[in-house]
Amino acid sequence: MTLAWPDITELPGTAGQARSARVISIACGRSGVGKTTIAANLALGLSKMRRRAMLVDCDPGPADATRMMGLDPAHSIDDVVGGRLTVDEIVVDGPEALFVVPAGPTDRAGRVDLSARLKLADAFRPHRRSLDFVIVDTPGSADPDTLDMVASADLPIVVLAPDAERFMDAYGTVKLLALEHDMREIAIVTNRVADEAMGQELFRRFRDVAGRFLTDTTLSHLGAIPRDDRVLTAAARRRLVVDQYPHARAAQAIAQLGRTIDTLAIPARRGGDSFFGMEAVFRAG
């Protein structure tokens, strides 16, 4: 049964209220690690748990999170950044009462610079008390704008895959977050592993490598997502595995990831009165 929520515009969020929403950014050093799959399925998994969840798709492409759900919206986050529409006017209803902020045109590279982030902060701030979780699918790169957005989230998550190339991509991302953005705590999700034990071992090796150079940064393993053909089957049908095949191994692991995140005491970064991770910008300015 789908929980009936009030319209997003009717929910409270005045300037004097601290936000309840926690912003979680899903990142990787380069596309192809399963970042978007995890972001979309995690957001839907949290919504299935009756948490007020929103997926913000900042990584446009033919297989972006919005299209992965079978949605073909007329408007996108670009309309918010451009000042043409509000968040309320572009948000679409995903499965299980999930709010989805669609990505921009597929022929444009995903880039959310400081100016765009300020506009998004203004646009999202009225809803800071209307949501529990905002999952941001960040662009699949480690450029400065993307890393700024990842670092300003309440909970930054870097996706780690077992192949050597993706291993080093994740290490490069963690290193930049630690050294250039002073991140002291970074969460890791291992993906496309054989089982939980392999995920734990992969994380242990990654932590050992990173620990040789990043002595002031703590890495935590939030969970392991197994390689599962049902993920690809669902994607081919423009569906998410947690919705199409809820008993599949990957779907069960993502559901557990959602439960783990739901139990965390995630502090609002840098003051907690702004939204979309913009406390850092306002404090610096």
Side-chain angles (χ1 to χ4, degrees), residues 28-30 33 142 158-176 202 205-206 209-210 212-213:
C28 65
R30 182 168 37 171
V33 74
V158 175
V159 180
L160 172 65
D163 62 280
E165 191 173 16
R166 296 294 183 261
F167 188 100
M168 294 310 299
D169 287 339
Y171 171 71
T173 300
V174 166
K175 183 177 180 180
L176 289 170
L202 177 63
R205 290 194 288 113
F206 185 78
V209 170
R212 298 172 191 169
F213 308 99

Side-chain angles (χ1 to χ4, degrees), residues 12-215:
T14 62
Q17 296 172 315
R19 64 182 166 97
S20 61
R22 293 296 180 261
V23 181
I24 300 174
S25 58
I26 313 296
C28 65
R30 182 168 37 171
S31 295
V33 74
K35 168 188 63 66
T36 293
T37 297
I38 291 175
N41 279 278
L42 173 60
L44 181 54
L46 288 167
S47 191
K48 287 167 75 74
M49 292 168 56
R50 305 301 185 247
R51 301 300 180 261
R52 300 168 297 172
M54 174 181 281
L55 173 67
V56 180
D57 190 352
C58 293
D59 190 14
D64 62 35
T66 306
R67 291 163 182 81
M68 192 178 286
M69 293 187 211
L71 303 174
D72 292 297
H75 305 293
S76 74
I77 197 170
D78 282 8
D79 294 301
V80 176
V81 173
R84 296 179 292 276
L85 297 171
T86 67
V87 170
D88 301 311
E89 291 171 318
I90 70 161
V91 71
V92 295
D93 295 328
E96 298 286 343
L98 174 66
F99 294 125
V100 180
V101 175
T106 60
D107 59 348
R108 291 187 54 186
R111 186 171 183 269
V112 184
D113 59 17
L114 178 58
S115 174
R117 288 171 61 218
L118 286 169
K119 292 176 181 177
L120 290 175
D122 288 337
F124 279 90
R125 196 170 298 112
H127 306 301
R128 59 189 172 179
R129 289 183 60 85
S130 68
L131 300 165
D132 296 313
F133 295 101
V134 178
I135 309 299
V136 184
D137 184 27
T138 66
S141 65
D143 65 82
D145 290 325
T146 296
L147 291 174
D148 278 344
M149 181 164 56
V150 173
S152 63
D154 300 312
L155 177 64
I157 296 177
V158 175
V159 180
L160 172 65
D163 62 280
E165 191 173 16
R166 296 294 183 261
F167 188 100
M168 294 310 299
D169 287 339
Y171 171 71
T173 300
V174 166
K175 183 177 180 180
L176 289 170
L177 288 172
L179 299 183
E180 297 189 7
H181 295 272
D182 198 32
M183 297 297 299
R184 291 292 174 257
E185 296 183 0
I186 301 173
I188 304 294
V189 170
T190 49
N191 191 35
R192 297 175 182 166
V193 294
D195 50 34
E196 176 69 25
M198 180 180 174
Q200 292 283 3
E201 174 61 19
L202 177 63
F203 171 73
R204 185 193 63 76
R205 290 194 288 113
F206 185 78
R207 183 185 57 194
D208 288 349
V209 170
R212 298 172 191 169
F213 308 99
L214 308 178
T215 56

Side-chain angles (χ1 to χ4, degrees), residues 4-22:
W5 290 353
D7 183 81
I8 191 171
T9 58
E10 299 174 354
L11 294 167
T14 62
Q17 296 172 315
R19 64 182 166 97
S20 61
R22 293 296 180 261

